[in-house]
PDB file of all heavy atoms in Angstrom:
ATOM      1  N   ARG A 230     126.640 105.406  98.046  1.00 87.00           N
ATOM      2  CA  ARG A 230     125.502 105.261  99.002  1.00 87.00           C
ATOM      3  C   ARG A 230     124.309 106.042  98.494  1.00 87.00           C
ATOM      4  O   ARG A 230     124.469 107.287  98.214  1.00 87.00           O
ATOM      5  CB  ARG A 230     125.919 105.739 100.361  1.00 87.00           C
ATOM      6  CG  ARG A 230     124.800 105.594 101.405  1.00 87.00           C
ATOM      7  CD  ARG A 230     125.176 105.851 102.843  1.00 87.00           C
ATOM      8  NE  ARG A 230     125.936 107.110 102.994  1.00 87.00           N
ATOM      9  CZ  ARG A 230     126.957 107.235 103.825  1.00 87.00           C
ATOM     10  NH1 ARG A 230     127.353 106.234 104.587  1.00 87.00           N
ATOM     11  NH2 ARG A 230     127.602 108.396 103.870  1.00 87.00           N
ATOM     12  N   LEU A 231     123.178 105.413  98.390  1.00 87.00           N
ATOM     13  CA  LEU A 231     121.923 106.040  98.001  1.00 87.00           C
ATOM     14  C   LEU A 231     120.988 106.069  99.209  1.00 87.00           C
ATOM     15  O   LEU A 231     120.740 105.037  99.788  1.00 87.00           O
ATOM     16  CB  LEU A 231     121.259 105.266  96.841  1.00 87.00           C
ATOM     17  CG  LEU A 231     119.882 105.740  96.368  1.00 87.00           C
ATOM     18  CD1 LEU A 231     119.948 107.143  95.859  1.00 87.00           C
ATOM     19  CD2 LEU A 231     119.321 104.780  95.354  1.00 87.00           C
ATOM     20  N   THR A 232     120.534 107.222  99.543  1.00 91.00           N
ATOM     21  CA  THR A 232     119.600 107.411 100.686  1.00 91.00           C
ATOM     22  C   THR A 232     118.353 108.089 100.145  1.00 91.00           C
ATOM     23  O   THR A 232     118.438 109.158  99.565  1.00 91.00           O
ATOM     24  CB  THR A 232     120.225 108.291 101.797  1.00 91.00           C
ATOM     25  OG1 THR A 232     121.484 107.695 102.188  1.00 91.00           O
ATOM     26  CG2 THR A 232     119.299 108.434 102.979  1.00 91.00           C
ATOM     27  N   ILE A 233     117.217 107.429 100.420  1.00 92.00           N
ATOM     28  CA  ILE A 233     115.915 107.963  99.960  1.00 92.00           C
ATOM     29  C   ILE A 233     115.112 108.129 101.266  1.00 92.00           C
ATOM     30  O   ILE A 233     114.974 107.169 102.081  1.00 92.00           O
ATOM     31  CB  ILE A 233     115.186 106.981  99.032  1.00 92.00           C
ATOM     32  CG1 ILE A 233     116.047 106.568  97.879  1.00 92.00           C
ATOM     33  CG2 ILE A 233     113.879 107.587  98.597  1.00 92.00           C
ATOM     34  CD1 ILE A 233     116.373 107.673  96.951  1.00 92.00           C
ATOM     35  N   SER A 234     114.557 109.293 101.498  1.00 94.00           N
ATOM     36  CA  SER A 234     113.700 109.561 102.635  1.00 94.00           C
ATOM     37  C   SER A 234     112.325 110.027 102.232  1.00 94.00           C
ATOM     38  O   SER A 234     112.182 110.665 101.237  1.00 94.00           O
ATOM     39  CB  SER A 234     114.335 110.684 103.503  1.00 94.00           C
ATOM     40  OG  SER A 234     115.616 110.301 103.950  1.00 94.00           O
ATOM     41  N   LEU A 235     111.325 109.564 102.975  1.00 93.00           N
ATOM     42  CA  LEU A 235     109.933 109.928 102.711  1.00 93.00           C
ATOM     43  C   LEU A 235     109.296 110.527 103.987  1.00 93.00           C
ATOM     44  O   LEU A 235     109.509 109.977 105.078  1.00 93.00           O
ATOM     45  CB  LEU A 235     109.173 108.675 102.295  1.00 93.00           C
ATOM     46  CG  LEU A 235     107.684 108.912 101.949  1.00 93.00           C
ATOM     47  CD1 LEU A 235     107.310 108.115 100.715  1.00 93.00           C
ATOM     48  CD2 LEU A 235     106.809 108.538 103.098  1.00 93.00           C
ATOM     49  N   PHE A 236     108.592 111.595 103.815  1.00 94.00           N
ATOM     50  CA  PHE A 236     107.904 112.258 104.952  1.00 94.00           C
ATOM     51  C   PHE A 236     106.465 112.502 104.559  1.00 94.00           C
ATOM     52  O   PHE A 236     106.200 113.086 103.519  1.00 94.00           O
ATOM     53  CB  PHE A 236     108.601 113.587 105.263  1.00 94.00           C
ATOM     54  CG  PHE A 236     107.937 114.374 106.339  1.00 94.00           C
ATOM     55  CD1 PHE A 236     108.050 114.014 107.666  1.00 94.00           C
ATOM     56  CD2 PHE A 236     107.162 115.505 106.006  1.00 94.00           C
ATOM     57  CE1 PHE A 236     107.429 114.741 108.654  1.00 94.00           C
ATOM     58  CE2 PHE A 236     106.562 116.245 106.990  1.00 94.00           C
ATOM     59  CZ  PHE A 236     106.674 115.857 108.324  1.00 94.00           C
ATOM     60  N   VAL A 237     105.515 112.016 105.357  1.00 94.00           N
ATOM     61  CA  VAL A 237     104.099 112.222 105.138  1.00 94.00           C
ATOM     62  C   VAL A 237     103.667 113.525 105.757  1.00 94.00           C
ATOM     63  O   VAL A 237     103.706 113.675 106.967  1.00 94.00           O
ATOM     64  CB  VAL A 237     103.284 111.047 105.705  1.00 94.00           C
ATOM     65  CG1 VAL A 237     101.758 111.308 105.534  1.00 94.00           C
ATOM     66  CG2 VAL A 237     103.681 109.709 105.093  1.00 94.00           C
ATOM     67  N   GLU A 238     103.309 114.511 104.922  1.00 95.00           N
ATOM     68  CA  GLU A 238     102.863 115.796 105.413  1.00 95.00           C
ATOM     69  C   GLU A 238     101.413 115.753 105.871  1.00 95.00           C
ATOM     70  O   GLU A 238     101.043 116.284 106.926  1.00 95.00           O
ATOM     71  CB  GLU A 238     103.011 116.865 104.331  1.00 95.00           C
ATOM     72  CG  GLU A 238     104.420 117.202 103.934  1.00 95.00           C
ATOM     73  CD  GLU A 238     104.450 118.262 102.852  1.00 95.00           C
ATOM     74  OE1 GLU A 238     103.663 118.235 101.925  1.00 95.00           O
ATOM     75  OE2 GLU A 238     105.353 119.121 102.964  1.00 95.00           O
ATOM     76  N   SER A 239     100.553 115.194 104.979  1.00 94.00           N
ATOM     77  CA  SER A 239      99.108 115.075 105.330  1.00 94.00           C
ATOM     78  C   SER A 239      98.689 113.634 105.120  1.00 94.00           C
ATOM     79  O   SER A 239      99.114 112.992 104.136  1.00 94.00           O
ATOM     80  CB  SER A 239      98.275 115.937 104.355  1.00 94.00           C
ATOM     81  OG  SER A 239      98.591 117.276 104.512  1.00 94.00           O
ATOM     82  N   ARG A 240      97.943 113.111 106.007  1.00 92.00           N
ATOM     83  CA  ARG A 240      97.629 111.670 106.079  1.00 92.00           C
ATOM     84  C   ARG A 240      96.717 111.245 104.959  1.00 92.00           C
ATOM     85  O   ARG A 240      95.946 112.024 104.372  1.00 92.00           O
ATOM     86  CB  ARG A 240      97.008 111.340 107.402  1.00 92.00           C
ATOM     87  CG  ARG A 240      95.675 112.082 107.692  1.00 92.00           C
ATOM     88  CD  ARG A 240      95.120 111.758 109.028  1.00 92.00           C
ATOM     89  NE  ARG A 240      94.656 110.399 109.218  1.00 92.00           N
ATOM     90  CZ  ARG A 240      93.573 109.798 108.734  1.00 92.00           C
ATOM     91  NH1 ARG A 240      92.791 110.570 107.932  1.00 92.00           N
ATOM     92  NH2 ARG A 240      93.277 108.599 108.973  1.00 92.00           N
ATOM     93  N   CYS A 241      96.814 109.934 104.639  1.00 93.00           N
ATOM     94  CA  CYS A 241      95.910 109.294 103.723  1.00 93.00           C
ATOM     95  C   CYS A 241      94.733 108.685 104.559  1.00 93.00           C
ATOM     96  O   CYS A 241      94.815 108.613 105.748  1.00 93.00           O
ATOM     97  CB  CYS A 241      96.581 108.207 102.897  1.00 93.00           C
ATOM     98  SG  CYS A 241      97.205 106.792 103.870  1.00 93.00           S
ATOM     99  N   ASP A 242      93.664 108.274 103.866  1.00 94.00           N
ATOM    100  CA  ASP A 242      92.527 107.667 104.581  1.00 94.00           C
ATOM    101  C   ASP A 242      92.811 106.246 104.961  1.00 94.00           C
ATOM    102  O   ASP A 242      92.351 105.759 106.000  1.00 94.00           O
ATOM    103  CB  ASP A 242      91.251 107.771 103.728  1.00 94.00           C
ATOM    104  CG  ASP A 242      90.763 109.220 103.594  1.00 94.00           C
ATOM    105  OD1 ASP A 242      91.164 110.074 104.420  1.00 94.00           O
ATOM    106  OD2 ASP A 242      89.955 109.434 102.667  1.00 94.00           O
ATOM    107  N   SER A 243      93.565 105.517 104.127  1.00 94.00           N
ATOM    108  CA  SER A 243      93.925 104.163 104.432  1.00 94.00           C
ATOM    109  C   SER A 243      95.095 103.701 103.576  1.00 94.00           C
ATOM    110  O   SER A 243      95.373 104.296 102.559  1.00 94.00           O
ATOM    111  CB  SER A 243      92.758 103.201 104.159  1.00 94.00           C
ATOM    112  OG  SER A 243      92.439 103.155 102.790  1.00 94.00           O
ATOM    113  N   GLY A 244      95.845 102.673 104.026  1.00 93.00           N
ATOM    114  CA  GLY A 244      96.918 102.108 103.292  1.00 93.00           C
ATOM    115  C   GLY A 244      98.286 102.482 103.792  1.00 93.00           C
ATOM    116  O   GLY A 244      98.463 103.007 104.856  1.00 93.00           O
ATOM    117  N   SER A 245      99.278 102.169 102.939  1.00 94.00           N
ATOM    118  CA  SER A 245     100.699 102.483 103.305  1.00 94.00           C
ATOM    119  C   SER A 245     101.459 102.765 102.018  1.00 94.00           C
ATOM    120  O   SER A 245     101.033 102.486 100.892  1.00 94.00           O
ATOM    121  CB  SER A 245     101.310 101.262 103.990  1.00 94.00           C
ATOM    122  OG  SER A 245     101.313 100.151 103.153  1.00 94.00           O
ATOM    123  N   LEU A 246     102.640 103.325 102.208  1.00 93.00           N
ATOM    124  CA  LEU A 246     103.536 103.625 101.093  1.00 93.00           C
ATOM    125  C   LEU A 246     104.827 102.797 101.314  1.00 93.00           C
ATOM    126  O   LEU A 246     105.307 102.682 102.449  1.00 93.00           O
ATOM    127  CB  LEU A 246     103.916 105.108 101.106  1.00 93.00           C
ATOM    128  CG  LEU A 246     102.770 106.134 101.025  1.00 93.00           C
ATOM    129  CD1 LEU A 246     103.313 107.526 101.204  1.00 93.00           C
ATOM    130  CD2 LEU A 246     102.082 105.975  99.703  1.00 93.00           C
ATOM    131  N   THR A 247     105.351 102.246 100.244  1.00 92.00           N
ATOM    132  CA  THR A 247     106.611 101.498 100.296  1.00 92.00           C
ATOM    133  C   THR A 247     107.646 102.322  99.579  1.00 92.00           C
ATOM    134  O   THR A 247     107.468 102.707  98.433  1.00 92.00           O
ATOM    135  CB  THR A 247     106.497 100.088  99.686  1.00 92.00           C
ATOM    136  OG1 THR A 247     105.558  99.384 100.448  1.00 92.00           O
ATOM    137  CG2 THR A 247     107.832  99.367  99.793  1.00 92.00           C
ATOM    138  N   LEU A 248     108.774 102.555 100.237  1.00 91.00           N
ATOM    139  CA  LEU A 248     109.901 103.314  99.735  1.00 91.00           C
ATOM    140  C   LEU A 248     110.960 102.350  99.297  1.00 91.00           C
ATOM    141  O   LEU A 248     111.299 101.419 100.042  1.00 91.00           O
ATOM    142  CB  LEU A 248     110.399 104.222 100.845  1.00 91.00           C
ATOM    143  CG  LEU A 248     111.526 105.212 100.583  1.00 91.00           C
ATOM    144  CD1 LEU A 248     111.154 106.163  99.519  1.00 91.00           C
ATOM    145  CD2 LEU A 248     111.896 105.893 101.897  1.00 91.00           C
ATOM    146  N   ASN A 249     111.485 102.463  98.055  1.00 90.00           N
ATOM    147  CA  ASN A 249     112.515 101.542  97.574  1.00 90.00           C
ATOM    148  C   ASN A 249     113.726 102.296  97.089  1.00 90.00           C
ATOM    149  O   ASN A 249     113.591 103.209  96.281  1.00 90.00           O
ATOM    150  CB  ASN A 249     111.920 100.702  96.427  1.00 90.00           C
ATOM    151  CG  ASN A 249     112.866  99.752  95.822  1.00 90.00           C
ATOM    152  OD1 ASN A 249     113.973  99.505  96.386  1.00 90.00           O
ATOM    153  ND2 ASN A 249     112.549  99.138  94.702  1.00 90.00           N
ATOM    154  N   ALA A 250     114.892 101.944  97.599  1.00 89.00           N
ATOM    155  CA  ALA A 250     116.137 102.466  97.121  1.00 89.00           C
ATOM    156  C   ALA A 250     116.972 101.350  96.534  1.00 89.00           C
ATOM    157  O   ALA A 250     117.072 100.280  97.157  1.00 89.00           O
ATOM    158  CB  ALA A 250     116.969 103.122  98.267  1.00 89.00           C
ATOM    159  N   SER A 251     117.483 101.518  95.306  1.00 87.00           N
ATOM    160  CA  SER A 251     118.204 100.418  94.634  1.00 87.00           C
ATOM    161  C   SER A 251     119.367 100.947  93.828  1.00 87.00           C
ATOM    162  O   SER A 251     119.261 101.971  93.154  1.00 87.00           O
ATOM    163  CB  SER A 251     117.211  99.697  93.725  1.00 87.00           C
ATOM    164  OG  SER A 251     117.863  98.665  92.992  1.00 87.00           O
ATOM    165  N   VAL A 252     120.503 100.234  93.898  1.00 83.00           N
ATOM    166  CA  VAL A 252     121.680 100.559  93.125  1.00 83.00           C
ATOM    167  C   VAL A 252     122.084  99.285  92.369  1.00 83.00           C
ATOM    168  O   VAL A 252     122.067  98.173  92.985  1.00 83.00           O
ATOM    169  CB  VAL A 252     122.855 101.003  94.028  1.00 83.00           C
ATOM    170  CG1 VAL A 252     124.119 101.253  93.211  1.00 83.00           C
ATOM    171  CG2 VAL A 252     122.499 102.250  94.784  1.00 83.00           C
ATOM    172  N   SER A 253     122.381  99.357  91.076  1.00 80.00           N
ATOM    173  CA  SER A 253     122.824  98.168  90.294  1.00 80.00           C
ATOM    174  C   SER A 253     124.272  98.326  89.945  1.00 80.00           C
ATOM    175  O   SER A 253     124.690  98.890  88.921  1.00 80.00           O
ATOM    176  CB  SER A 253     121.997  98.086  89.015  1.00 80.00           C
ATOM    177  OG  SER A 253     120.651  97.886  89.294  1.00 80.00           O
ATOM    178  N   PRO A 254     125.178  97.868  90.833  1.00 72.00           N
ATOM    179  CA  PRO A 254     126.649  98.039  90.609  1.00 72.00           C
ATOM    180  C   PRO A 254     127.161  97.242  89.427  1.00 72.00           C
ATOM    181  O   PRO A 254     128.154  97.660  88.810  1.00 72.00           O
ATOM    182  CB  PRO A 254     127.267  97.564  91.915  1.00 72.00           C
ATOM    183  CG  PRO A 254     126.253  96.649  92.526  1.00 72.00           C
ATOM    184  CD  PRO A 254     124.922  97.116  92.079  1.00 72.00           C
ATOM    185  N   ILE A 255     126.549  96.087  89.075  1.00 72.00           N
ATOM    186  CA  ILE A 255     126.943  95.338  87.901  1.00 72.00           C
ATOM    187  C   ILE A 255     125.675  94.858  87.215  1.00 72.00           C
ATOM    188  O   ILE A 255     124.645  94.674  87.871  1.00 72.00           O
ATOM    189  CB  ILE A 255     127.874  94.115  88.268  1.00 72.00           C
ATOM    190  CG1 ILE A 255     127.163  93.187  89.246  1.00 72.00           C
ATOM    191  CG2 ILE A 255     129.189  94.592  88.815  1.00 72.00           C
ATOM    192  CD1 ILE A 255     127.921  91.917  89.543  1.00 72.00           C
ATOM    193  N   PRO A 256     125.701  94.648  85.929  1.00 74.00           N
ATOM    194  CA  PRO A 256     124.489  94.226  85.191  1.00 74.00           C
ATOM    195  C   PRO A 256     123.894  92.951  85.782  1.00 74.00           C
ATOM    196  O   PRO A 256     124.610  92.009  86.120  1.00 74.00           O
ATOM    197  CB  PRO A 256     125.005  93.995  83.753  1.00 74.00           C
ATOM    198  CG  PRO A 256     126.234  94.857  83.626  1.00 74.00           C
ATOM    199  CD  PRO A 256     126.864  94.841  85.015  1.00 74.00           C
ATOM    200  N   GLY A 257     122.581  92.963  85.956  1.00 75.00           N
ATOM    201  CA  GLY A 257     121.878  91.808  86.452  1.00 75.00           C
ATOM    202  C   GLY A 257     121.878  91.654  87.963  1.00 75.00           C
ATOM    203  O   GLY A 257     121.365  90.682  88.502  1.00 75.00           O
ATOM    204  N   HIS A 258     122.498  92.607  88.693  1.00 77.00           N
ATOM    205  CA  HIS A 258     122.559  92.517  90.154  1.00 77.00           C
ATOM    206  C   HIS A 258     122.131  93.861  90.728  1.00 77.00           C
ATOM    207  O   HIS A 258     122.535  94.910  90.259  1.00 77.00           O
ATOM    208  CB  HIS A 258     124.007  92.227  90.611  1.00 77.00           C
ATOM    209  CG  HIS A 258     124.182  92.182  92.079  1.00 77.00           C
ATOM    210  ND1 HIS A 258     123.677  91.162  92.855  1.00 77.00           N
ATOM    211  CD2 HIS A 258     124.744  93.040  92.944  1.00 77.00           C
ATOM    212  CE1 HIS A 258     123.946  91.394  94.084  1.00 77.00           C
ATOM    213  NE2 HIS A 258     124.598  92.509  94.220  1.00 77.00           N
TER     214      HIS A 258
END
């Protein structure tokens, strides 16, 4: 199990952040 957490300490002026967690258990997947 892979868990990735993101916390915004100080705000940005505009936009968003995308958080990606990925595990490749077999080649190509």
